[in-house]
Amino acid sequence: MLEDIFQSLTSVSLFGAFIALFVFHLLYSNLNFQEKRDPPGPIRVPVLGNLLQIDLNRLDQSLFDLSKKYGSVFQVYFGPQKVVVLAGYRTVKQAMVNHADEFGNREITPLFYDLNQGHGVLFSNGDSWKEMRRFALTTLRDIGMGRKMSEETIIAESGYLKKEFEQFEGEAFDTLAINYASANVISALLFGKRFEYNDQILQNIVQIDRENIHLTGSASVMIYNLYPWLGPFCQNWKDLMKNNENGVADLRMLIADLKETFDPKVCRCFVDAFLIRKQYLKDDVRNSHYHDDNLLHTVDNLLTAGTDTTAVTLTWCLLYMAKFLHIQDRVQEELSRVIGSRQIRTEDRKDLPYTDAVIHESQRFANIAPTALPHRTTKDLTFQGYVIKEGTTVVPLLTSVLYDESEWESPYTFNPFHFLNKEGKFIRRDAFMAFNGGRRACLGESLARMELFLFFTSLLQHFRFTPPPGVSVDEVDLDPLVGLTLAPKPQQFCAVRRL
């Protein structure tokens, strides 16, 4: 009897001690930031951190809400991982642009490493990243990115896209062809060729790209990044690995075909330029970066980024036109008055201020990369009075920039007048950071801007976009399909030929 009482008292004592230690842990770990000058943040629990306070299915909104309570620099714990979040235009710009070196590394999550093995231009750091980014920027510009050559490629591709839309004769259809068109523009630079829209390789590229973008942003894959040992139990991770295997096989085949016909005296595309550079540096120490893995993953990174972001943004543009018909009317009035029926050129942008404002507002309002890709600090630093250690994961919250209430007159409304002055002329806005900024700014920005303008104006010049029969403009769904980027949910609309 006494032994039972003793055991009971011992159990109660141990439980009480556990509770005391737990409370001490909470108090110490959550209040000690004041002594260390850590950024503020919500109280966390062991193992899970702040996961119970965050909606992983719409992470950017959860972080945006937290920023309103904890300020423009705060910290959260994704499980055991500490993450510093930067919110608001002024803070994000200060970090990404004014302190570009300190915030300039990429956070290589377990998934990004699985897919890229530290190679390529998006998910790498150090000398390899510096060399690949420099080479990619220089080469893409040399072979026409953002220049006359690219303009002709985009105009030609817009012709194929218009024919694709015409075949539906005003009936409802989905927007997959937009992805094919966007993929063909970047393919012209990377491989020196375009694909027919029914080509199996092109369809594979687009299908894998769309699936992977969605899967990468899923809650289960975010959990995998925190606890990689869960990989074998995560179906989305297994699907990503399978997709990656299939996608890489197609790219290896395309690169192998170019190698078979390679002539170092003739540069047909990005792949050729890489091979020429590799041959030129064969006895140079810099040649260590010019190997097949870097070629494969750099091409993969550029193809994915060059296809998805432009296609998703253009799809949002057309969806907004089907939703806001009065805005579409005004765009088409301007196009008819200024351009008429002739071919639109990039130089016409300056004479189409309202149309240009609608494109920019579509990018702002769509907010397709709400958290950007995560960064990692390169050294210890003090930022806005807080100590941030070297190697800390940093999330620049672009949602808080593009919806910053101190920068935009009506941030939660689709309003092209954000980009127009009182005289109706286009104005640039500093808080328009749709392409991020600093060392990790989108290296294809000039091409993406040209594509959006030429594709959008060409399509609006020839078609009126409306919801499908039986769907009112009020029923057009603007809630996004959440992934690594925010894409429109699968839905149809009609493209009616203009007279």
Side-chain angles (χ1 to χ4, degrees), residues 94-371:
Q94 183 184 4
M96 297 298 105
V97 179
N98 300 343
H99 294 275
D101 289 340
E102 294 96 322
F103 289 96
N105 268 4
R106 172 72 67 226
E107 167 69 11
I108 311 296
T109 66
L111 175 66
F112 290 158
Y113 186 81
D114 293 340
L115 297 176
N116 296 271
Q117 300 296 307
H119 304 302
V121 72
L122 282 183
F123 306 105
S124 58
N125 289 310
D127 291 340
S128 179
W129 169 75
K130 291 178 182 177
E131 182 64 21
M132 287 301 99
R133 182 175 173 85
R134 183 205 60 76
F135 172 79
L137 272 172
T138 302
T139 301
L140 289 173
R141 288 169 180 164
D142 287 346
I143 60 179
M145 182 180 74
R147 299 181 180 178
K148 192 70 175 178
M149 187 184 305
S150 289
E151 181 182 45
E152 297 302 329
T153 298
I154 297 165
I155 289 172
E157 194 61 44
S158 69
Y160 290 108
L161 187 57
K162 284 184 289 187
K163 288 181 181 179
E164 187 72 14
F165 283 11
E166 285 172 352
Q167 73 177 358
F168 295 100
E169 299 181 340
E171 299 293 325
F173 64 97
D174 64 34
T175 60
L176 194 59
I178 294 174
N179 294 71
Y180 296 152
S182 182
N184 267 334
V185 172
I186 188 65
S187 291
L189 292 171
L190 296 177
F191 311 118
K193 64 177 293 186
R194 75 172 297 275
F195 301 88
E196 296 297 331
Y197 291 173
N198 61 358
D199 187 284
Q200 190 61 55
I201 290 181
L202 178 64
Q203 293 185 354
N204 287 346
I205 288 172
V206 167
Q207 183 63 30
I208 289 172
D209 183 41
R210 294 180 78 181
E211 287 183 8
N212 282 2
I213 291 292
H214 176 61
L215 293 172
T216 300
S218 65
S220 61
V221 169
M222 292 185 198
I223 295 296
Y224 162 74
N225 281 328
L226 302 176
Y227 309 102
W229 55 269
L230 290 173
F233 307 100
C234 178
Q235 186 60 48
N236 283 354
W237 177 80
K238 290 190 285 187
D239 289 344
L240 275 162
M241 294 302 101
K242 183 64 176 177
N243 283 348
N244 187 59
E245 180 182 339
N246 294 334
V248 164
D250 284 338
L251 292 183
R252 288 189 192 279
M253 183 176 65
L254 290 170
I255 292 171
D257 289 344
L258 288 167
K259 284 183 175 181
E260 287 184 4
T261 55
F262 173 64
D263 180 350
K265 298 178 182 178
V266 179
C267 183
R268 301 165 294 181
C269 59
F270 182 90
V271 172
D272 278 356
F274 189 99
L275 297 175
I276 291 169
R277 183 69 173 168
K278 179 181 179 181
Q279 189 175 89
Y280 176 76
L281 293 175
K282 62 181 180 180
D283 297 322
D284 193 304
V285 66
R286 290 172 293 172
N287 190 44
S288 62
H289 301 304
Y290 290 85
H291 50 75
D292 284 349
D293 285 335
N294 254 344
L295 173 58
L296 174 68
H297 290 289
T298 298
V299 167
D300 187 23
N301 294 165
L302 294 174
L303 183 60
T304 297
T307 297
D308 179 74
T309 54
T310 302
V312 166
T313 304
L314 182 57
T315 304
W316 276 119
C317 287
L318 299 183
L319 192 62
Y320 293 145
M321 294 304 94
K323 177 78 169 179
F324 308 114
L325 294 176
H326 64 289
I327 293 177
Q328 182 178 186
D329 289 340
R330 187 161 177 175
V331 169
Q332 291 178 327
E333 185 280 327
E334 185 177 66
L335 290 173
S336 296
R337 174 169 43 84
V338 176
I339 305 298
S341 59
R342 71 169 173 83
Q343 175 61 56
I344 298 173
R345 295 282 175 177
T346 305
E347 63 188 23
D348 293 318
R349 185 194 295 269
K350 66 182 184 302
D351 299 317
L352 298 167
Y354 187 79
T355 301
D356 200 11
V358 168
I359 294 171
H360 280 73
E361 179 66 359
S362 297
Q363 290 180 268
R364 185 199 71 82
F365 199 64
N367 179 34
I368 70 166
T371 59

Side-chain angles (χ1 to χ4, degrees), residues 435-456:
F435 295 100
N436 207 339
R439 294 175 67 191
R440 296 284 177 167
C442 174
L443 57 81
E445 178 178 349
S446 62
L447 180 64
R449 284 172 49 81
M450 182 181 284
E451 280 188 76
L452 287 173
F453 178 75
L454 290 175
F455 277 133
F456 179 75

